[in-house]
Amino acid sequence: MTFGLVFRPLGLPAVIGVASVALVAACSPAPTPPPPTRVPVALAPIEVMGVGEFRQGTTSADDLVIRFTELENDAIPRGPGAFELVLTDSAGTLDAVSFRGTPTLAAPGSLGVTATLTRSNVLTVQIVDSDTLNIEPVTIEGLALSARVSASTGPLVLTIGGCSGSLAGCASSDVLASPGTVVAGS
């Protein structure tokens, strides 16, 4: 019995080359996308000096004080930015509690900061720019808290959100310290 070899000089190497490339491609791991990056925190610590206890259907006797401090001298990048403080009762009801009064501010002029009640339970804080060479604190005062007769009793909830522009990563937590406690009315 005789065996013969058939050479295909042009076809065989081309097939082996294509098979090798396909095998390497199939064995190579797919590239991994980069991990998601978290927006850096601009404001910390955030201090809330609450109003204490007050009854359903009344307004607190004491004013709320909220102090934001830039984490590092360049934590707030240049440019405009904003965030919102949203107040709810302990059950999360939006229209059961509200801010009362006119917010007053203590802040460096470099921020051009304003604080406006955009809804009865929403305080919007906006800045125009920042000074990346200095740590910038902001103190908001002049606001009492009010609770409807139907407000749930218990600690109020104050959340920070709507962080945008140069304040896109405004806080490490959405929920701030409770600004006060609603107790049963008489």
Side-chain angles (χ1 to χ4, degrees):
M1 192 178 242
T2 313
F3 293 98
L5 296 175
V6 177
F7 291 97
R8 297 184 186 202
L10 296 177
L12 188 56
V15 170
I16 291 173
V18 170
S20 297
V21 169
L23 183 58
V24 168
C27 293
S28 298
T32 19
T37 56
R38 189 175 193 294
V39 176
V41 175
L43 304 173
I46 300 173
E47 301 169 72
V48 177
M49 292 183 283
V51 299
E53 292 183 349
F54 64 105
R55 297 192 178 286
Q56 293 166 314
T58 67
T59 299
S60 67
D62 296 325
D63 281 351
L64 175 65
V65 177
I66 305 170
R67 185 170 294 118
F68 302 92
T69 304
E70 185 177 18
L71 185 60
E72 297 174 357
N73 62 336
D74 60 352
I76 300 174
R78 301 293 310 259
F83 62 87
E84 293 178 335
L85 295 171
V86 179
L87 181 67
T88 64
D89 68 5
S90 61
T93 308
L94 292 173
D95 62 351
V97 290
S98 58
F99 295 106
R100 292 282 189 243
T102 303
T104 58
L105 296 164
S110 55
L111 287 173
V113 67
T114 59
T116 309
L117 289 173
T118 50
R119 291 192 301 266
S120 66
N121 70 316
V122 178
L123 179 67
T124 301
V125 178
Q126 296 179 309
I127 66 168
V128 175
D129 206 354
S130 75
D131 173 0
T132 57
L133 300 177
N134 296 294
I135 291 177
E136 298 168 300
V138 175
T139 301
I140 302 170
E141 299 178 283
L143 294 171
L145 301 180
S146 181
R148 290 184 180 207
V149 173
S150 61
S152 295
T153 59
L156 296 173
V157 179
L158 185 62
T159 57
I160 188 169
C163 303
S164 63
S166 62
L167 293 170
C170 60
S172 59
S173 173
D174 294 343
V175 180
L176 303 178
S178 176
T181 303
V182 175
V183 295
S186 55

